Amino acid sequence: MQSLLNKKIILGISGGIAAYKSAELARLLMQEGADVQVVMTEAAQQFVTPVTMQALTGKPIYTSQWDSSIANNMAHIELSRAADAILIAPASADLMAKLSLGLADDLLSTMCLARDCPLLLAPAMNKQMWEHAATQRSVQRLTEDKVVLLGPASGFQACGEVGLGRMLEPAEITEQLIAFFQKKLLAGKRVLITAGPTFEAIDPVRGITNLSSGKMGFAIARAAVEAGAEVHIVAGPCDLVTPLEATGKITRTNIVSAKEMHAATMQSADCDIFFAVAAVADWGIAKPAKEKMKRQGKGAPSLEFSANPDILADIAKRVKTQGGKPHPYCVGFAAESADLAKHAEEKRKRKGIPMVVGNIGPNTFGSDLNQLLIIDEGGSKKIAKAEKLQLARQLIQLVAKKI
Ligand code: C5P
């Protein structure tokens, strides 16, 4: 799935060492289907050449406001009128100061002043430059002017110092630009999600787990942040990266066992929507061994199980009616090996929740694709096979209507 299909993006590059990452950024935007037109300042060309960017984007690169190749010789107007957004990465301290004052002395700054589309900046500079009062004044003015700032991040800098001012990674900028274009259906809402498997220890080195990858839960987390929500994800053991982390709109608690997942989830229970996506172990080992269990002749040990708390049922018990609607709105998941629709509806009733989402198998575990069966009080509805992120966006749309 390409999330920037039909989007025309002007990628502005100003003079900073992070400009070497702009080549990768152009590629990532294009992989998402964007039509990328690069505009470079004079200083940017000291760090990366127009030839590099032209070879990658397959288009001439604009560098001068006196470029006679544009029919009416008004590159600053022509280019920005066709664009869905101008993204400047890296945005130097000098460029940010200029834009905050409305100065327009080269093609990129003139184009920003003349634009009628959104402007997003990914700042990149030394930490002292970022912290300087002058730069912070620029940040404040630009924010007041509805310019969107992506980052900066904190970390190791090219100058050898460590601190705030690093440009976000190209993948993070791409993820945030995609999010920028999504409808803010959940603005101001708090979303809680459980995701992934749990692991029930038998002894310090062995345990029982399941095949859940966490991909569906993490896709829902990403779609919810894209929709403007504040998200908390409680994740079982999985190696997935927290989506859109640089936005500061998502927090994560990593847990191992079902009991830990229950405790962490109950701590964050104060939310507007709860998605119980995790494949939680129904039973844990009653008394896990403190030391590694040793082989004893040819015999096999027998394991005694004890029931784990039902996280979804416990959150559902807290539901109150607000404005005639259940709050928080709880969505359960069901993965069944047979009779999905019947079991999922039973689950919905038994847990006392308004919606259950069935994974239409087989083999959705670990896959990037899935098919869903949505069951609520109005009946059931299939969502056709698609990437989990695409399904997650559709699910968010459905739930947004419910609340
Ligand atoms: O029937 P079952 O309890 O397995 O229903 C699955 C749904 O319940 C899923 O949404 C799952 O995340 C949730 N669940 C839970 N806590 C458990 C078991 C399941 O939240 N202990």
Side-chain angles (χ1 to χ4, degrees):
M1 178 194 36
Q2 293 182 306
S3 296
L4 292 174
L5 207 59
N6 301 323
K7 294 280 185 247
K8 288 190 188 309
I9 307 296
I10 293 182
L11 175 58
I13 309 177
S14 65
I17 182 57
Y20 84 94
K21 294 186 179 177
S22 308
E24 164 83 351
L25 177 58
R27 293 296 291 163
L28 292 179
L29 297 176
M30 288 166 68
Q31 273 168 27
E32 290 288 351
D35 175 339
V36 178
Q37 172 63 63
V38 173
V39 173
M40 299 172 79
T41 65
E42 205 181 323
Q45 296 168 64
Q46 300 291 325
F47 294 93
V48 58
T49 74
V51 176
T52 308
M53 300 311 297
Q54 180 165 0
L56 290 172
T57 60
K59 286 193 186 155
I61 306 305
Y62 295 104
T63 56
S64 160
Q65 73 224 90
W66 315 121
D67 192 330
S68 58
S69 68
I70 292 219
N72 64 4
N73 217 346
M74 290 197 206
H76 59 289
I77 311 274
E78 284 289 300
L79 291 173
S80 71
R81 287 299 172 271
D84 291 292
I86 300 174
L87 167 67
I88 304 183
S92 65
D94 175 67
L95 182 74
M96 287 174 62
K98 250 173 27 186
L99 297 180
S100 76
L101 295 172
L103 297 180
D105 63 353
D106 64 1
L107 177 59
L108 188 56
S109 54
T110 313
M111 206 179 62
C112 288
L113 197 61
R115 80 185 189 280
D116 62 356
C117 65
L119 173 60
L120 298 94
L121 306 179
M125 64 198 73
N126 163 271
K127 68 171 188 164
Q128 304 293 354
M129 293 170 82
W130 173 256
E131 283 162 12
H132 196 286
T135 305
Q136 288 307 308
R137 273 196 301 275
S138 306
V139 168
Q140 197 185 335
R141 279 204 204 104
L142 289 165
T143 312
E144 282 164 12
D145 290 348
K146 308 256 178 319
V147 174
V148 178
L149 294 193
L150 311 180
S154 187
F156 187 72
Q157 302 200 301
C159 53
E161 294 181 2
V162 179
L164 209 56
R166 265 176 72 92
M167 187 171 85
L168 294 186
E169 292 303 323
E172 292 175 305
I173 296 174
T174 306
E175 205 183 27
Q176 288 209 34
L177 183 67
I178 291 169
F180 174 79
F181 285 116
Q182 302 300 316
K183 285 199 184 120
K184 303 299 165 216
L185 299 171
L186 296 182
K189 300 288 178 204
R190 282 162 309 157
V191 173
L192 176 63
I193 301 168
T194 62
T198 59
F199 179 93
E200 305 299 317
I202 295 173
D203 68 17
V205 296
R206 301 184 183 92
I208 297 175
T209 185
N210 59 64
L211 291 175
S212 169
S213 63
K215 284 183 180 174
M216 193 66 219
F218 276 66
I220 292 173
R222 177 170 170 182
V225 178
E226 287 179 345
E230 302 253 345
V231 174
H232 184 65
I233 187 160
V234 181
C238 62
D239 56 7
L240 299 177
V241 174
T242 309
L244 287 161
E245 196 169 17
T247 59
K249 293 276 204 177
I250 181 163
T251 50
R252 171 176 180 167
T253 306
N254 289 323
I255 54 82
V256 176
S257 68
K259 282 197 180 111
E260 286 170 13
M261 182 174 269
H262 181 264
T265 308
M266 295 318 283
Q267 257 184 26
S268 303
D270 193 12
C271 62
D272 299 301
I273 308 170
F274 175 51
F275 290 98
V277 198
V280 187
D282 291 313
W283 312 282
I285 306 300
K287 284 192 190 123
K290 292 221 162 50
E291 303 293 338
K292 184 182 168 191
M293 289 163 70
K294 297 281 179 248
R295 200 193 276 264
Q296 286 172 350
K298 288 198 170 151
S302 54
L303 297 173
E304 196 191 324
F305 289 91
S306 65
N308 278 328
D310 188 326
I311 305 166
L312 177 53
D314 282 354
I315 297 277
K317 278 183 206 150
R318 299 167 49 106
V319 170
K320 301 225 164 47
T321 305
Q322 243 178 45
K325 292 175 181 162
H327 185 270
Y329 190 87
C330 292
V331 182
F333 273 69
E336 300 289 339
S337 48
D339 285 336
L340 175 65
K342 181 169 155 264
H343 289 304
E345 176 59 8
E346 273 169 20
K347 208 165 276 191
R348 194 177 80 79
K349 294 230 166 84
R350 177 165 34 89
K351 302 220 181 199
I353 55 171
M355 185 184 281
V356 165
V357 179
N359 292 306
I360 302 177
N363 301 330
T364 64
F365 284 131
S367 167
D368 286 330
L369 299 170
N370 203 356
Q371 280 179 84
L372 302 179
L373 182 71
I374 313 278
I375 301 182
D376 62 15
E377 69 288 347
S380 66
K381 170 184 162 154
K382 251 189 197 178
I383 308 189
K385 192 167 194 168
E387 280 182 29
K388 286 179 174 171
L389 178 58
Q390 209 171 341
L391 296 172
R393 287 182 186 146
Q394 292 181 61
L395 183 58
I396 291 290
Q397 280 178 22
L398 286 176
V399 172
K401 275 192 202 139
K402 300 279 179 191
I403 62 164

